[in-house]
Amino acid sequence: MGGVLDEARGVSAVIGLVLLVAVVVVLSATVTGYVLSDGGDIPPPSPRISVSHTTVDDGGDATVAVTLEGGDAVRTNRLYVIGSKPLDIGGPPGNSQSANDTYASERENFVESSGGRPPQVRIGETWEAGETVYLDPEGEADGVTIRIYWNTEPIQDVNPGTVAGDDSYQLARFTVSAS
């Protein structure tokens, strides 16, 4: 009588082992497919930068000079800046294309240009360590919070520009203190 019961137990063990192997194969195939996928939905990593800022006399309410101190060189056509109040981006005070709060907007792109001239910030295609951009907020600069963003796609059109794509990353944030 014990023979039939032993056979049933032997069959149960084999079925359990086959099911266990099948689960392991399915899980490993799923994990392998995920790990080896082309990563098409994964956005590129954002650059890492460190900036310093100071205010400079512009004969009015002061302009904020923002210098890239270190980190990655960043393509300027993917950068834009937003202030807690409208601001303008441009060259240093006294320059023919200096930042001027008369032209301030809610968002300024780093390649702002008018009349077919080169971008006002005049730093080239990349923002590199040691280069400075100038921001002139409407009214007083003291207390203005400034955020610099990088976008995975180039910014289109003139200010405020159109930010295309789904991925923008804040690279820097600071509040201006005129003291």
Side-chain angles (χ1 to χ4, degrees), residues 61-151:
D61 296 320
T63 292
V64 181
V66 182
T67 302
L68 180 62
E69 294 295 333
D72 300 324
V74 186
R75 293 192 56 81
T76 52
N77 69 349
R78 294 174 184 239
L79 291 170
Y80 63 96
V81 63
I82 295 176
S84 56
K85 57 180 160 179
L87 47 80
D88 185 47
I89 192 168
N95 180 300
S96 65
Q97 292 191 326
S98 63
N100 184 336
D101 67 355
T102 303
Y103 304 107
S105 64
E106 63 192 41
R107 177 178 54 243
E108 293 278 315
N109 67 53
F110 272 54
V111 292
E112 174 183 332
S113 176
S114 62
R117 293 184 283 191
Q120 289 178 228
V121 296
R122 296 186 181 218
I123 57 175
E125 292 184 11
T126 57
W127 192 24
E128 299 177 10
E131 294 180 319
T132 302
V133 297
Y134 296 86
L135 307 169
D136 190 6
E138 284 183 344
E140 292 288 327
D142 191 38
V144 173
T145 298
I146 295 174
R147 296 178 312 274
I148 299 171
Y149 291 90
W150 175 81
N151 194 58

